[in-house]
Amino acid sequence: MHNRLRELREQAGLSQADCAAALGVTRQTVISIEKGHFDPRLSLAFRISQLFEVTVDAVFSPE
Amino acid sequence: MTSTTRWTATALGSLAIAAAVGLAAVSVRDDGPPWLLFTAFAVATLVPAFAGLAMLTHAVPDERSEHDDETVEHAWFVRATSGAFTDLLLVLGVVVFVTSVLDGPELPVALVIVLAMVDVMVRYTLLSRREA
């Protein structure tokens, strides 16, 4: 699964730690999602989209 | 929780568990000198207790999060335990078959438990290094 988390996070001026705190997960989780090593659950995907005020498919897309 | 804290907690916790088991054995059993009962049961408990606590303390992420079950650390732990269970079934199946056919010595259950716990730790470490 391809994702734009890093791009959206950097546009919002958030660090990985800030982003993790806002999403209620660990920093390592944010790092792994950004690297494409970890596909988050749907509930986390929705929290990510809500955090950046975009739709889920604007963040995640099939490779 | 830092790595040093995890290992310190694991070591102290396993020592405490081993001592408690040794004392329990001394208070209940009367088939040997107290010092020997305490030493035998404490030493026999120490390694499984250390492996079990290490598995538990390393399954806890470095930082607290509101949604622990959605973290990558949780996913690694689930994959590690699942893989170790498969390994355990395979190893036990082969060992039981071979010892039955050859009428060999039985595999100690404690050894199997320790191997399974070590398997989980190795798998978790490999996953976290490969996918971090």
Side-chain angles (χ1 to χ4, degrees), chain B residues 98-110:
Chain B
V98 170
T99 53
S100 301
V101 171
L102 302 179
D103 197 22
E106 292 175 2
L107 189 66
V109 175

Side-chain angles (χ1 to χ4, degrees), chain A residues 5-28:
Chain A
L5 178 57
R6 178 187 292 270
E7 178 190 336
L8 291 166
R9 177 179 61 74
E10 288 176 350
Q11 279 176 5
L14 291 175
S15 68
Q16 288 173 330
D18 294 337
C19 185
L23 295 171
V25 294
T26 59
R27 192 172 74 90
Q28 183 59 61

Side-chain angles (χ1 to χ4, degrees), chain A residues 20-29 31-32 35 37-38 40-44 47, chain B residues 61-76 79 128 130-132:
Chain A
L23 295 171
V25 294
T26 59
R27 192 172 74 90
Q28 183 59 61
T29 303
I31 293 169
S32 293
K35 286 184 173 177
H37 290 159
F38 177 56
R41 278 191 198 169
L42 199 53
S43 51
L44 178 54
R47 290 207 304 281
Chain B
D62 288 343
E63 48 195 296
R64 295 300 303 163
S65 61
E66 289 175 45
H67 303 274
D68 280 337
D69 60 336
E70 291 183 333
T71 62
V72 70
E73 289 91 342
H74 178 78
W76 289 336
R79 287 169 63 189
S128 61
R130 192 188 312 146
E131 299 185 7

Side-chain angles (χ1 to χ4, degrees), chain A residues 2 5 7-8 29 33 40-42 45 50 53-54 57 61:
Chain A
H2 173 74
L5 178 57
E7 178 190 336
L8 291 166
T29 303
I33 294 172
R41 278 191 198 169
L42 199 53
Q50 285 166 357
E53 298 178 336
V54 293
D57 61 355
S61 56

Side-chain angles (χ1 to χ4, degrees), chain B residues 7 19 21 36 46 71 83 85 94 96 99 109 120-121 127:
Chain B
W7 287 117
V21 170
L36 184 59
L46 190 59
T71 62
F85 182 70
V94 170
V96 167
T99 53
V109 175
V120 171
M121 287 175 60
L127 280 171

Side-chain angles (χ1 to χ4, degrees), chain B residues 21-23 25-26 29-44:
Chain B
V21 170
L23 288 174
V26 169
R29 303 175 69 105
D30 57 0
D31 50 352
W35 67 268
L36 184 59
L37 287 170
F38 178 86
T39 306
F41 279 89
V43 168

